[in-house]
Amino acid sequence: DIQMTQSPSSVSASVGDRVTITCRASQGISSWLAWYQQKPGKAPKLLIYAASSLQGEVPSRFSGSGSGTDFNLTISSLQPEDFATYYCQQANSLPLTFGGGTKVEIK
Amino acid sequence: QLQLQESGPGLVKPSETLSLTCTVSGGSISRSEDFWGWIRQPPGKGLEWIGSIYYSGSTYYNPSLKSRVTLSLDTSRNHFSLKLTSVTAADTAVYYCARADSSGYPESDFQNWGQGTLVTVSS
């Protein structure tokens, strides 16, 4: 199985801050990586697929980068509605696996 | 607009079988581009992929659960189902159904999710 490791596990930030979350795969996954946002009591929402492609109407302040084993999710200017938990997921091979999550909290 | 809705018992006894159904509206589960999956999340923890099923009936399971999981689909009712046997307290989780628009490959991310349903395993 491919292990996905996210860091940090939590981050405190203020509105307007730039936030970067890292996801590392235990082996190369090309660009087969997705990022999700999950708010309490809600289902995850797909933000980014194929490492850097924005899904649907996701705001452009979200961006993804990386390939191989190291990936980043960046929020360029944190908004109040962005406080949530973020998960990465590899879509390179089965079983599909997720990172442990990064909670973005209000400072 | 595609919508998914999980349904089933919220409480299951240890050693029994957990059964959930995901009803899809606003689209057909028979699209050749789509896989239909189940993902679970224990309270306060992360996400775990359980398995995915294709409209043809082909199934792909997480090896960690494979011996206890069965996925099926009913195209006439536009729904798909999960059965998990011999449950224990460790199977207590919110169970989500989801759609992957993956051009027919099971390795994919999930674009649409149900709201999730909490299943508690307890006597």
Side-chain angles (χ1 to χ4, degrees):
Chain A
D1 298 6
I2 298 176
Q3 308 303 317
M4 307 301 294
T5 303
Q6 285 183 236
S7 61
S9 56
S10 66
V11 57
S12 294
S14 301
V15 172
D17 283 354
R18 181 182 181 91
V19 173
T20 297
I21 298 167
T22 295
C23 180
R24 175 164 290 174
S26 60
Q27 62 190 75
I29 58 170
S30 185
S31 295
W32 298 111
L33 184 97
W35 290 96
Y36 299 86
Q37 177 193 66
Q38 185 178 35
K39 296 182 178 179
K42 300 295 186 182
K45 172 187 173 183
L46 181 64
L47 297 177
I48 288 171
Y49 63 96
S52 60
S53 296
L54 222 57
Q55 171 71 7
E57 297 181 357
V58 172
S60 58
R61 63 181 179 273
F62 290 92
S63 64
S65 64
S67 66
T69 59
D70 294 320
F71 301 85
N72 288 330
L73 171 69
T74 298
I75 310 171
S76 60
S77 178
L78 202 62
Q79 298 302 299
E81 60 268 30
D82 301 337
F83 292 96
T85 300
Y86 295 84
Y87 293 94
C88 61
Q89 179 227 319
Q90 63 84 14
N92 180 77
S93 61
L94 300 183
L96 305 175
T97 48
F98 293 83
T102 295
K103 187 173 184 179
V104 177
E105 300 176 298
I106 301 172
K107 182 183 281 185
Chain B
Q1 181 181 351
L2 192 74
Q3 293 188 324
L4 295 84
Q5 177 69 57
E6 304 89 350
S7 59
L11 181 65
V12 181
K13 290 182 168 56
S15 80
E16 295 190 345
T17 297
L18 179 160
S19 296
L20 295 175
T21 294
C22 181
T23 300
V24 178
S25 58
S28 171
I29 66 169
S30 298
R31 266 176 32 114
S32 59
E33 295 85 355
D34 296 336
F35 266 84
W36 304 93
W38 290 94
I39 299 100
R40 70 179 182 177
Q41 185 172 37
K45 297 189 178 180
L47 299 161
E48 179 182 34
W49 174 72
I50 299 170
S52 296
I53 186 166
Y54 196 42
Y55 81 101
S56 64
S58 297
T59 52
Y60 301 83
Y61 299 131
N62 192 323
S64 67
L65 296 167
K66 186 174 183 177
S67 64
R68 298 194 293 131
V69 173
T70 302
L71 301 190
S72 61
L73 52 75
D74 185 335
T75 55
S76 65
R77 295 184 179 185
N78 218 42
H79 72 210
F80 60 105
S81 300
L82 163 70
K83 288 190 187 300
L84 181 66
T85 62
S86 305
V87 297
T88 69
D91 295 310
T92 294
V94 175
Y95 285 76
Y96 295 101
C97 60
R99 179 191 77 108
D101 181 355
S102 62
S103 301
Y105 293 93
E107 300 87 353
S108 184
D109 40 67
F110 294 95
Q111 293 81 22
N112 302 92
W113 294 63
Q115 65 184 26
T117 187
L118 175 63
V119 179
T120 301
V121 179
S122 175
S123 55

